[in-house]
Amino acid sequence: MESNKQSDWVARSLSSVWHPCTQMQHHENLPLIPVSHGRGAWLYDQNGRRYLDAISSWWVNLFGHANPRINAALKDQLDKLEHAMLAGFTHEPVIELSEQLSARTDHVLGHCFYASDGASAVEIALKMSFHAWRNAGLTDKQEFVCLKGSYHGETIGALAVTDVALFRDAYGPLLRQAHVVASPDARAAQEGETAPDVARRAAQDLALLLEQRASHIAAVIIEPLVQCATGMAMHDPEYLRLVRALCDRHQVHVIFDEIAVGCGRSGTFFACEQAAVWPDFLCLSKGISGGYLPLSLVMTREAVFQAFYSTDVTRGFLHSHSYTGNPLACRAALATLAIFDEDDVVNRNRDRAARLTAALAPLATHPKVRHFRQRGMIWAFDAVVEDVSAAATFSRRFFAAALEQELLLRPIGRTVYLMPPYILDDAEIDGLAARTQTVFEQVIGALK
Ligand SMILES: *Cc1c(COP(=O)(O)O)cnc(C)c1O
């Protein structure tokens, strides 16, 4: 009976589990993979098949599945403290994590506020920005600015600063619309323009808005260097410097949403290090717990913290989640940070990245590929798919064909991307590149 039930995970899941980001009807044809266990970069299914997790399970897993060091830390923490409320109480993992993260910003962002998922971190940054201005007497500052193609999560507040039509349009009537300004996406370069030129052109758009509207604007929110969910749109760090300068001039906060690009993903621990500017609020989630447990946080400056510091409770920041600062999640994050230091991860990723980029060279120059791009541990390219109906199913066809090649890859529309964990060995890197090429040629070939 038990084993019979086990073998039927797919049918049971489809009738009882409502899967995220999925048109459930598509599973009439699209495979659903019953994962039984994971090890290193690989996920194993009930039928004994394996898949290289080339997108880090939605960009969260940095050091592999069932990582021995993170597992050991969690087992130790389990016997000490699984959870305690963070109002009126504190504990070592949350203190240690806050101090270590603050040190990684040279203590510019010295205060950490916790939640459990990325969208909530975005909500916190938006609310905190608005409330900080209000406490300073600037009560008109109630509006936010996001970039074309931005993605900051799918709760109602976060969706209001998200500009991905697929996620936003159905819920448009529920949202308080933000100002959407030009994206510095380097693919928009015109004849003779460099990526920094595109950045300067996009910053002009923001400059115009701020000149007219800054007294009503609380903050600009940006995914630094790579706008991931819209399709890995990459831009030059110059954009971040220009935004920082414009926002300083116009008294507007800068929020860097590093939920996807932080934790080494973009090539430095924080993406904004590459521009040498710090925001007023920095959001982290996804990779921070190594992909183990839900954890998110917002880091902010002393000036913001002081704007709330008072005897008056209503001037305090009013926001809480039941699992705020969960000790297990914080301990997983500490184990993750320890691996960064012990293994010199950011530097060693440069070698991994160089090898994978070289191995992907045949795809970079493939006649059906446009805009092959890479930053840190993110690779992406756009497939040339002219037929509209083929374009609509490209992503799902690619996903299914990749599974046949032992790869977990889920293109975003026509954009194929790789975001592997930071543990691939040379054979895994070469295999990933070769198989990605095989899948691409198969899918593109079948479309003709
Ligand atoms: C994933 C993501 C979020 C939302 O995080 P969730 O944990 O899925 O709510 C927000 N911003 C960016 C840039 C993301 O990639």
Side-chain angles (χ1 to χ4, degrees), residues 59 117-120 122 151-154 223 228-229 257 259-260 285-286:
W59 323 344
D117 56 72
S120 299
V122 168
Y151 179 93
H152 298 289
E154 295 171 55
E223 299 162 80
C228 295
D257 175 351
I259 289 166
S285 188
K286 291 205 164 97

Side-chain angles (χ1 to χ4, degrees), residues 421-439:
Y422 311 159
I423 52 161
L424 298 190
D425 62 24
D426 288 353
E428 286 167 337
I429 289 172
D430 297 347
L432 170 58
R435 286 166 184 234
T436 303
Q437 188 180 342
T438 303
V439 174

